[in-house]
């Protein structure tokens, strides 16, 4: 923030991986299996395919404007007026996105480990932490990502390995008990969260070092594949252990950790696992807040981003405390409304910009 920060393409892919996996690995398996049953893994693969298409559009724009963010190349292609019109929804949804992650953190703590702790206490402490992380800048966060990624994936692998004796492969059948309809609905949910959210990386991709710009595509695609394989493993293992209950029990990975029992030596470790998984929530919220601050600074043409950190964090805190107090309402928004909002606010502007940039490029070729 004091200078133009730069990170490598590997660091950017690690930020992307923890962003995509951080909260989805805990939240996504239950609604997917609840909606699609044993066909949840098919839904995830459909959502992943759509995510790959979005990634292709994102990287196409990055190659056309390697030193520009989505705000800057939108001004080049559409002009300042249209940029403000199409990116205002982008701004509002990002505010709610940050707040929504912290709402999920509060809900997770309230229903699992800290049942007597007021939600506002958890949310306030989290926003103070993520605001300080965003204030540190993307270079510091990129260095943190390697350690936190190892911790999070280590816990995921540990849980899936230790519940091995409880696996029942027969629970995976029948694959499509209620036909293709529920599978497509579940794919819509998974596409809306987390795959459609990858669009916001258009704000920070220009921060990759010049020497690494040619490698970014390969690293980002690899990160997306690792994210999908990890979530896929979590969904399949949840079905094999919990069977028909996998769609009714929230936070499937945490529920699997509760079942771990190894010779009366390793048991009741779900709290340790739970706090390790919260690392993913924290880092995703921190990175999203940082992206939101950079986006606002570019949209408003501000010289200093640091001035925005705590005001923006405070607004998001107020949203997290007042938007949804009923867990059922939040669940309905995540499963139905959120994918639609993401398509309107995130995906549509990026696809429009990719289309305009593509047409301009080919019209110039035709004239020459």
């Amino acid at each position: 923030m004091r200078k133009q920060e730069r990170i490598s393409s590997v660091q950017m892919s690690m930020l992307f991986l923890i962003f995509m996996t951080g909260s989805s690995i805990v939240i996504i398996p239950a609604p997917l299996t609840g909606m699609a049953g044993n066909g949840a893994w098919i839904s995830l693969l459909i959502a992943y395919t759509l995510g790959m298409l979005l990634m292709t559009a994102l990287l196409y724009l990055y190659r056309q404007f390697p030193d520009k963010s989505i705000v800057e190349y939108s001004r080049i292609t559409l002009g300042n007026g249209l940029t403000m019109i199409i990116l205002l929804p982008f701004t509002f949804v990002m505010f709610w996105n940050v707040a929504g992650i912290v709402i999920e953190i509060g809900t997770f703590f309230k229903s699992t480990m800290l049942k007597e702790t007021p939600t506002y206490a958890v949310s306030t402490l989290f926003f103070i932490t993520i605001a300080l992380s965003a204030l540190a800048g993307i270079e510091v966060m990129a260095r943190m990502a390697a350690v936190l990624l190892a911790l999070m994936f280590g816990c995921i692998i540990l849980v899936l390995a230790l519940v091995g004796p409880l696996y029942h492969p027969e629970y995976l059948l029948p694959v499509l008990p209620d036909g293709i309809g529920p599978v497509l609905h579940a794919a819509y949910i998974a596409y809306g969260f987390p795959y459609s959210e990858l669009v916001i990386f258009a704000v920070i991709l220009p921060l990759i070092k010049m020497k690494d710009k040619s490698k970014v595509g390969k690293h980002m695609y690899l990160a997306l594949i690792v994210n999908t394989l990890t979530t896929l493993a979590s969904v399949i293992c949840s079905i094999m252990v919990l069977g028909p209950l996998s769609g009714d029990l929230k936070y499937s990975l945490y529920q699997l950790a509760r079942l771990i029992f190894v010779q009366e030596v390793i048991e009741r470790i779900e709290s340790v696992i739970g706090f390790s998984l919260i690392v993913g929530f924290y880092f995703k919220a921190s990175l999203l807040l940082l992206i939101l601050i950079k986006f606002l600074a570019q949209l408003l043409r501000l010289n200093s981003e640091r001035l925005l950190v705590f005001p923006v964090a405070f607004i998001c805190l107020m949203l997290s405390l007042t938007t949804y107090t009923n867990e059922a309402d939040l669940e309905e928004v995540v499963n139905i409304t959120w994918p639609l909002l993401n398509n309107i606010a995130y995906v549509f502007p990026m696809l429009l910009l990719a289309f305009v940039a593509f047409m301009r490029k080919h019209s110039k070729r035709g004239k020459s």
Side-chain angles (χ1 to χ4, degrees):
M1 291 184 180
R2 291 147 296 254
K3 56 183 178 61
Q4 181 68 291
E5 298 173 302
R6 296 287 179 181
I7 60 176
S8 69
S9 62
V10 172
Q11 288 176 317
M12 183 63 76
S13 64
M14 287 193 295
L15 290 176
F16 179 71
L17 178 57
I18 201 168
F19 175 87
M20 294 293 290
T21 311
S23 55
S24 62
I25 193 69
V26 180
I27 297 171
I28 276 295
L32 281 192
T33 51
M35 183 65 64
N38 295 350
W41 61 273
I42 301 175
S43 304
L44 190 62
L45 290 177
I46 295 171
Y48 160 74
T49 303
L50 295 174
M52 273 291 191
L53 295 176
L54 287 181
M55 176 66 77
T56 301
L58 175 67
L59 292 173
Y60 172 77
L61 284 170
Y62 174 70
R63 287 193 298 271
Q64 299 304 309
F65 308 97
D67 298 315
K68 302 283 190 296
S69 73
I70 188 170
V71 177
E72 293 166 326
Y73 55 67
S74 179
R75 285 191 175 122
I76 293 171
T77 55
L78 300 178
N80 193 54
L82 279 177
T83 293
M84 294 299 290
I85 291 172
I86 69 167
L87 293 186
L88 273 180
F90 197 106
T91 310
F92 296 143
V93 172
M94 281 187 73
F95 269 101
W96 197 93
N97 205 341
V98 178
I101 295 170
V102 179
I103 291 172
E104 285 288 358
I105 292 170
T107 305
F108 177 75
F109 273 124
K110 192 73 176 175
S111 59
T112 55
M113 294 180 287
L114 303 177
K115 297 183 179 181
E116 302 300 321
T117 305
T119 302
Y120 67 82
V122 175
S123 298
T124 302
L125 287 173
F126 255 90
F127 267 110
I128 291 172
T129 308
I130 66 174
L132 292 172
S133 300
L135 196 63
I138 196 167
E139 288 182 355
V140 174
M141 292 185 69
R143 290 193 290 269
M144 290 168 55
V147 177
L148 298 181
L149 203 60
L151 174 64
M152 187 177 72
F153 273 84
C155 288
I156 293 169
I157 293 169
L158 182 68
V159 170
L160 298 183
L162 291 179
V163 294
L166 302 177
Y167 288 156
H168 297 278
E170 64 272 17
Y171 288 168
L172 294 172
L173 298 173
V175 175
L176 296 173
D178 300 311
I180 195 67
V183 171
L184 295 177
H185 189 179
Y188 171 74
I189 294 172
Y191 160 72
F193 172 76
Y195 291 105
S196 63
E197 295 178 356
L198 64 82
V199 171
I200 67 172
F201 267 72
V203 178
I204 58 172
L205 277 181
L207 301 179
I208 296 173
K209 294 176 181 176
M210 188 62 67
K211 63 179 181 179
D212 286 347
K213 288 188 182 294
S214 60
K215 308 172 189 174
V216 65
K218 177 176 65 176
H219 293 153
M220 295 288 279
Y221 279 125
L222 180 60
L224 191 61
I225 291 170
V226 171
N227 160 259
T228 302
L229 291 177
T230 306
T231 312
L232 194 63
S234 179
V235 168
I236 291 174
C237 292
S238 297
I239 294 172
M240 286 197 296
V241 174
L242 302 173
L245 293 176
S246 58
D248 298 325
L249 297 174
K250 289 191 71 177
Y251 314 119
S252 302
L253 209 59
Y254 180 82
Q255 301 297 340
L256 294 185
R258 297 180 65 182
L259 300 174
I260 292 173
F261 180 84
V262 181
Q263 297 294 322
E264 299 183 0
V265 177
I266 303 177
E267 60 178 325
R268 304 300 298 176
I269 64 169
E270 66 269 15
S271 293
V272 177
I273 298 297
F275 277 106
S276 301
L277 294 175
I278 285 297
V279 164
F281 281 94
Y282 147 73
F283 201 85
K284 178 171 182 175
S286 301
L287 185 57
L288 192 55
L289 181 63
L290 176 68
I291 293 172
L292 174 56
I293 290 162
K294 288 184 174 295
F295 179 83
L296 282 174
Q298 293 169 7
L299 196 64
L300 301 175
R301 302 180 190 269
L302 299 178
N303 293 325
S304 176
E305 301 166 3
R306 298 173 66 84
L307 299 174
L308 294 174
V309 175
F310 288 105
V312 170
F314 181 74
I315 293 170
C316 293
L317 171 61
M318 292 297 102
L319 285 172
S320 73
L321 295 178
T322 58
T323 306
Y324 293 101
T325 54
N326 188 329
E327 190 174 334
D329 290 342
L330 176 63
E331 204 167 307
E332 182 180 347
V333 168
V334 171
N335 292 348
I336 299 172
T337 311
W338 190 241
L340 178 62
L341 285 177
N342 280 355
N343 274 316
I344 295 171
Y346 291 162
V347 177
F348 172 72
M350 191 194 68
L351 293 182
L352 176 64
L353 291 169
F355 176 75
V356 173
F358 178 80
M359 294 303 292
R360 284 193 173 187
K361 181 181 178 182
H362 281 266
S363 64
K364 286 180 180 178
R365 283 184 179 177
K367 290 178 182 178
S368 61

